Amino acid sequence: ASTGNQTTATAAITTANITPVLNVSNSVYGTAPSLSVAGNTGNGAVTYYYNTDGSNSGGTVWSQAVKLHAGDYYMYAEIAANGNYAAAKTAAVKFEVEPKPVTVSGITAQEKKYDGNPSAGLDFSNLKINGKIEGDELKATAAGSFENANAGENKTVNLFDMKLSGNSATNYVLAATGNQMTATAKI
C-alpha cells in the first residue's frame, strides 16, 4: 500500500462589506419620521442616531419615544455585523421636523360703551387650541375690531393679528384655515 502525502492549506474568509443607504422622511412635530435602510444585506441590527451637525458619528440614539422639536436634523444608521457581513454606517441624511398646524377657537369679545372707536377688547379665558399636544405650553393672542363704531347688539368683531406664544410655540404654526376669525359683542 502506498501512502500519499496530504497537504493542507488554510485560507482566511473575511466578512463581506455592505453599503447601506438610509431613507428618512420629513415629519411634523409630535410624529416620528419614517425610516428605512436599504442594502442591509446581512440583516444586521440597526441603530439610528440623530444630531444637528450632519456627521455620522456621535449623536443621540433615536427611538419612537423621542419627541424632536421643530427644526432641521440629520440621521444616520449603524448596522451591526451579522454572520458573513461586516458592520457599517450610512451617510447622515438631513430631514426636517415641521411645526404642527393648530387651530384657535373660544375667543370672545367684550361688551363696551359707545366711544366712537371700533377697537374691541378680547377675552381668552375659554381659548381652545385644537391639535396641541398634551403637556405643551401654548397660548394665542389676537386683536379685535368691531365692524364699525356704531352702538348695537350682536355686532361682529373681526379678529386679526393672531399669534401663538408660550414655551412650545416654535413647535406649532397656525393652520391655513379653520381658525376663529370673528366674535360678537354689544356696543
Side-chain angles (χ1 to χ4, degrees), residues 106-108 122-128:
I107 301 170
T108 56
L122 301 176
D123 181 351
F124 296 90
S125 59
N126 293 316
L127 178 71
K128 291 180 182 56

Side-chain angles (χ1 to χ4, degrees), residues 27-145:
S27 67
V28 173
Y29 173 70
T31 305
S34 177
L35 307 170
S36 65
V37 174
N40 182 4
T41 310
N43 294 321
V46 179
T47 304
Y48 297 99
Y49 295 85
Y50 68 95
N51 60 45
T52 56
D53 67 9
S55 69
N56 71 342
S57 63
T60 303
V61 174
W62 165 259
S63 76
Q64 292 291 330
V66 173
K67 185 166 75 170
L68 295 174
H69 294 285
D72 292 333
Y73 295 90
Y74 293 86
M75 180 139 339
Y76 70 94
E78 283 187 355
I79 291 75
N82 190 14
N84 295 324
Y85 297 92
K89 282 186 189 181
T90 67
V93 176
K94 185 176 182 179
F95 71 102
E96 180 182 3
V97 176
E98 299 167 1
K100 184 177 188 345
V102 293
T103 58
V104 173
S105 62
I107 301 170
T108 56
Q110 297 171 337
E111 179 181 317
K112 75 174 199 171
K113 291 193 182 290
Y114 173 79
D115 62 4
N117 184 331
S119 65
L122 301 176
D123 181 351
F124 296 90
S125 59
N126 293 316
L127 178 71
K128 291 180 182 56
I129 300 178
N130 303 305
K132 178 179 83 72
I133 295 172
E134 189 174 330
D136 282 358
E137 182 190 323
L138 189 61
K139 299 174 186 173
T141 59
S145 180

